[in-house]
Amino acid sequence: MNEKPSVDSDVKALRGAFSNFLTGVTIVCTVDPSGNTRGFTANSFTSVSLDPPLILICIAKTASSYEAFRQCKSFSVNVLGESQRELSTIFATKAPDKFNNVDIRYAKTGAPIIVGSLSWFDCTAFNYVEAGDHIILVGRVESFVNGQGAPLGFWRGNYVTFESEAEAMRVETPASAYVSCLLDWQGRVLLCRGEDKSWTFPAASTASKEGNHQARLDRLLSKLGVEAEINFLFSVFEAASRGETYIVYRGTVTSPPSEARQSSRKVSFFTDRDLPWDDLPAPEFRVVLERYFRERDGSAFSVYGDAGLDGSIAALDSQPKHWRD
Ligand SMILES: Cc1cc2nc3c(=O)[nH]c(=O)nc-3n(C[C@H](O)[C@H](O)[C@H](O)COP(=O)(O)O)c2cc1C
């Protein structure tokens, strides 16, 4: 009999399905019985009740701070803004010195608070519930701060920054702007051969007013014989020597171009090792590609509005909405 694989047999797929749920990012902190500050990055935060004011957080039993949180009398939940991505990365490790160079103060209950967080909740431990390989720790909010700012997001294993993305989309499109994409296929990135024989990202001019960014990318990819899922904005940069601005999304190829098309050498897939680095149209492309490989390997993408040379966010002349709109 053909049995369907059980959830247990496909933990990776289940984790992948869970990761489709877009969340914010928090750091949860407490002080252990020896007086050491403890903390870890968590996206399992949920508001539970207004009366009484309750929140919850789930903690893995494998976390080194698990015992400290299970026994704690108080703890804090700090909601991170998009400038706190580095902190999130640090607190997602088991490093013993996570709090070095972190600006903290102690709230009413004695729980450490991370200064600069968007919001924080200072909680007394209300109760905890056994839940498989985690516990659900419920906290009663004793004091809180409701700050302002752009949140840090987490989706499909990557960080997402909304305000930078929105900012990049608000700038005006110059006449020579291109909507473009970096597409990954089995660890390689797709590049096309330009008319000047350089290798470049697939790019469509925004000069005509035909359609939003997604429509332009769809037409471009169909011409190249590629099917792809476009995810997030990756970079907006100016190739100064060419007077061109590129709005670059990132995505994943779902169906690659035919062998014939690939062997015509009009499109090809490259790793960072075999990429023709000397045949890129301008130095800014190298900077963007280097960042792309670096961030992809670290599974931590964000949006850049500057290519790191002389690039800058250029003035865009329309106000395109998010391309999914
Ligand atoms: C965005 C993000 C969210 C996370 N959310 C949780 C979570 O909700 N619960 C959890 O136990 N671990 C979560 N983790 C993993 C912990 O941060 C990680 O295991 C950390 O090393 C635990 O620290 P500790 O071992 O010092 O206690 C998350 C990691 C990341 C990057």
Side-chain angles (χ1 to χ4, degrees):
M1 194 173 69
N2 261 348
E3 280 191 27
K4 280 178 94 179
S6 70
V7 162
D8 285 350
S9 74
D10 208 346
V11 172
K12 202 171 162 212
L14 179 63
R15 193 199 294 263
F18 285 160
S19 75
N20 240 332
F21 183 59
L22 172 73
T23 67
V25 182
T26 69
I27 294 176
V28 191
C29 302
T30 192
V31 177
D32 71 17
S34 317
N36 300 314
T37 43
R38 308 298 297 263
F40 71 99
T41 301
N43 64 346
S44 55
F45 169 70
T46 302
S47 56
V48 176
S49 160
L50 286 172
D51 188 14
L54 301 177
I55 56 95
L56 71 78
I57 202 86
C58 302
I59 305 166
K61 291 179 178 171
T62 51
S64 48
S65 56
Y66 164 69
E67 273 304 325
F69 280 97
R70 196 177 62 82
Q71 295 176 28
C72 74
K73 300 261 182 306
S74 69
F75 66 96
S76 73
V77 178
N78 301 267
V79 179
L80 301 190
E82 63 177 40
S83 65
Q84 291 173 301
R85 206 181 84 177
E86 292 300 317
L87 271 188
S88 173
T89 305
I90 293 168
F91 278 82
T93 68
K94 291 190 184 296
D97 54 356
K98 295 183 201 184
F99 282 89
N100 282 3
N101 306 317
V102 179
D103 194 4
I104 56 168
R105 68 181 178 83
Y106 293 89
K108 206 167 103 185
T109 67
I113 298 299
I114 295 183
V115 174
S117 303
L118 282 194
S119 295
W120 53 254
F121 304 93
D122 170 33
C123 305
T124 45
F126 188 76
N127 68 352
Y128 73 84
V129 180
E130 287 286 339
D133 52 14
H134 283 59
I135 57 164
I136 304 168
L137 177 60
V138 182
R140 183 189 171 106
V141 179
E142 305 294 345
S143 64
F144 64 95
V145 157
N146 176 9
Q148 296 279 323
L152 182 63
F154 198 68
W155 179 70
R156 287 190 171 183
N158 287 317
Y159 291 107
V160 182
T161 49
F162 302 95
E163 188 56 33
S164 309
E165 182 154 351
E167 188 61 35
M169 299 302 293
R170 271 197 292 273
V171 290
E172 297 184 353
T173 316
S176 54
Y178 293 83
V179 57
S180 174
C181 54
L182 278 172
L183 299 178
D184 203 276
W185 171 248
Q186 299 177 337
R188 292 178 297 154
V189 72
L190 180 137
L191 296 183
C192 317
R193 199 84 153 152
E195 279 167 18
D196 60 357
K197 300 283 178 233
S198 62
W199 285 97
T200 186
F201 323 141
S205 166
T206 60
S208 71
K209 297 281 174 203
E210 292 158 28
N212 61 15
H213 290 186
Q214 181 174 25
R216 289 172 203 272
L217 284 179
D218 284 348
R219 277 199 299 275
L220 173 67
L221 295 179
S222 131
K223 269 194 214 152
L224 294 172
V226 185
E227 285 176 32
E229 186 183 303
I230 305 289
N231 306 132
F232 278 95
L233 185 65
F234 177 68
S235 179
V236 179
F237 74 95
E238 186 184 352
S241 59
R242 300 165 68 94
E244 294 168 348
T245 297
Y246 286 81
I247 302 160
V248 190
Y249 291 87
R250 64 182 166 84
T252 312
V253 170
T254 51
S255 169
S258 65
E259 287 297 327
R261 218 184 267 261
Q262 288 190 54
S263 56
S264 74
R265 303 279 291 155
K266 290 221 166 89
V267 284
S268 198
F269 291 96
F270 298 100
T271 65
D272 53 349
R273 285 181 302 283
D274 59 17
L275 197 140
W277 291 102
D278 293 333
D279 294 334
L280 300 172
E284 292 87 350
F285 289 78
R286 169 185 276 266
V287 176
V288 171
L289 278 163
E290 283 172 348
R291 278 182 173 161
Y292 178 80
F293 284 116
R294 197 167 55 239
E295 294 196 356
R296 193 199 54 190
D297 293 345
S299 287
F301 283 115
S302 65
V303 179
Y304 289 93
D306 192 303
L309 288 174
D310 292 319
S312 60
I313 297 177
L316 302 174
D317 86 12
S318 62
Q319 297 201 334
K321 289 199 286 183
H322 190 278
W323 58 268
R324 284 192 193 284
D325 293 344

